[in-house]
Amino acid sequence: MADLRIAVLLPCYNEEAAIRQTIAGFRAALPGASIYVYDNNSTDQTCTVAAEAGAIVRCEKMQGKGHVVRRMFADVDADVYVMADGDATYDAAAAPELVRRLVEEQLDMVVGARQSEIEEAYRRGHRLGNRLFTGLLASLFGRTFTDIFSGYRVFSRRFVKSFPALSRGFETETEISVHALELAMPVGEVMTAYGARPEGSASKLSTYRDGWRILKTIVHLFRIERPVLFYGSIGVFLAALAMVLAIPLVVTYVQTGLVPRVPTAILVTGLMILASLCLFTGLILDTVVRGRREVRRLAYLALPAPGPKN
C-alpha cells in the first residue's frame, strides 16, 4: 500500500470545534495520505483551523453534502479515497484496516458500519430509521449494507470516477449505496467505533426533513433503476381496480344484455388503458435503463482495480 496515493476527504460545515481533532486522527492513522477539507459555507473558523492543522482546504458554495461529494470526487485524483465527516465521530484509527480490505481484496467500496454504545452519538431514533431504510433498500434492490447511512467509506478510483453524484444533501450516502448495488461492484463492510461529537460541535441532521428526503431519493432511484417493477406495480393496481369495478357490469350484462352504467364502463376502459400504458412504459424504460447501465459499467471497467496488478 506504500505506493498508493491515498486521499482523505472531509466535507465540513461549521466544524471548528472538531476539525483539528479529525485531521490529527487521520494524519496519525494514514501518515502518507493527503487530507482535504471541503468547506460548505461555514460561518465559523473551520477553514482557518483546518489550514493550521495542515489540511488542503477547498470550498464548495452550493449548499448540501451531495454537492460537496460531487466536487470532491471530481477534483481530487488518487488511487484510494477515504471519506469521513469532519466532526470527529468516526474512528480514524480504523482507516488502515478499511484501506487494507479494499486493496487486498480488490474491492471498490468498504463501508465503516457504525457501532456505538453511546446514546448521544447514535440516537435510538436514528438507529431505527437506519434499520427501516436499510430494509426498504434491500427489498427494492435485492441486497444492501448493514449501515447505508454511514459517512465513513473507502473507495477505489474506479468507483469515484464512475459515480454520477446527482444528490444534493445527506441522501448522497443512499445514492452511493445504490450505485454500488446496481453495478454489482465488489464491496465490503467493517464494524467501526462511533463516538459522540466533541463539546461545541452540533449535528446538522434534521431527523424528519432528511428522512423524508432520503425516502424520496430511494423511491426516485427505484423508479429509475427498476422501471418494470415500479410502473408494472402501478399498472397491476389500476388493472385490479378496473376489474373490481367491471364485475357488476359484466354480471348485469350477462343477465340483461344491457350496460346501464355507462360512466362506470368508461371509467373501467380508461383504467385498463392506463394500466396497459404503465406496463409498456416500464418495458420501454427498462431497455433504456439497461443501455445506460451498460455505459456506466463500461466507464467503471475502463479504470483498473485497486491493489496489485496481475
Side-chain angles (χ1 to χ4, degrees), residues 194-245:
Y194 187 70
R197 284 172 167 268
E199 185 177 352
S201 175
S203 174
K204 315 305 183 300
L205 285 172
S206 173
T207 301
Y208 298 106
R209 183 193 64 195
D210 291 322
W212 172 243
R213 289 173 64 178
I214 290 166
L215 178 60
K216 288 195 299 181
T217 298
I218 292 176
V219 173
H220 175 69
L221 292 171
F222 177 55
R223 177 178 63 85
I224 292 175
E225 302 294 344
R226 296 286 191 274
V228 171
L229 187 55
F230 180 83
Y231 290 101
S233 299
I234 297 175
V236 168
F237 171 77
L238 293 175
L241 179 60
M243 286 188 287
V244 169
L245 293 174

Side-chain angles (χ1 to χ4, degrees), residues 67-270:
H67 293 303
V68 180
V69 170
R70 184 186 310 118
R71 181 70 179 274
M72 292 189 304
F73 283 6
D75 291 355
V76 178
D77 192 57
D79 298 313
V80 175
Y81 298 78
V82 180
M83 187 176 76
D85 294 338
D87 55 12
T89 54
Y90 292 110
D91 182 18
E97 173 60 17
L98 272 67
V99 173
R100 185 195 65 78
R101 282 281 306 276
L102 184 93
V103 174
E104 291 186 0
E105 299 180 22
Q106 292 193 308
L107 305 177
D108 286 303
M109 179 173 69
V110 178
V111 180
R114 293 168 291 181
Q115 187 174 33
S116 177
E117 302 299 328
I118 304 174
E119 182 66 23
E120 292 77 8
Y122 199 5
R123 299 195 297 272
R124 290 181 181 178
H126 289 178
R127 295 185 192 186
L128 176 61
N130 195 351
R131 286 196 293 268
L132 290 176
F133 282 121
T134 297
L136 176 61
L137 201 68
S139 65
L140 296 179
F141 294 96
R143 60 191 182 103
T144 187
F145 305 93
T146 302
D147 186 1
I148 64 169
F149 297 140
S150 174
Y152 195 10
R153 300 175 186 239
V154 176
F155 305 100
S156 68
R157 175 181 170 80
R158 65 181 183 178
F159 183 104
V160 167
K161 297 307 180 183
S162 67
F163 177 59
L166 301 177
S167 298
R168 294 178 295 175
F170 284 103
E171 66 271 20
T172 187
E173 279 93 0
T174 304
E175 186 186 14
I176 288 171
S177 298
V178 171
H179 179 66
L181 297 176
E182 280 301 286
L183 293 190
M185 294 182 181
V187 297
E189 273 189 317
V190 174
M191 297 304 298
T192 59
Y194 187 70
R197 284 172 167 268
E199 185 177 352
S201 175
S203 174
K204 315 305 183 300
L205 285 172
S206 173
T207 301
Y208 298 106
R209 183 193 64 195
D210 291 322
W212 172 243
R213 289 173 64 178
I214 290 166
L215 178 60
K216 288 195 299 181
T217 298
I218 292 176
V219 173
H220 175 69
L221 292 171
F222 177 55
R223 177 178 63 85
I224 292 175
E225 302 294 344
R226 296 286 191 274
V228 171
L229 187 55
F230 180 83
Y231 290 101
S233 299
I234 297 175
V236 168
F237 171 77
L238 293 175
L241 179 60
M243 286 188 287
V244 169
L245 293 174
I247 289 174
L249 299 180
V250 173
V251 172
T252 302
Y253 179 78
V254 170
Q255 293 174 345
T256 66
L258 301 174
V259 183
R261 285 169 287 188
V262 176
T264 302
I266 295 174
L267 175 61
V268 168
T269 303

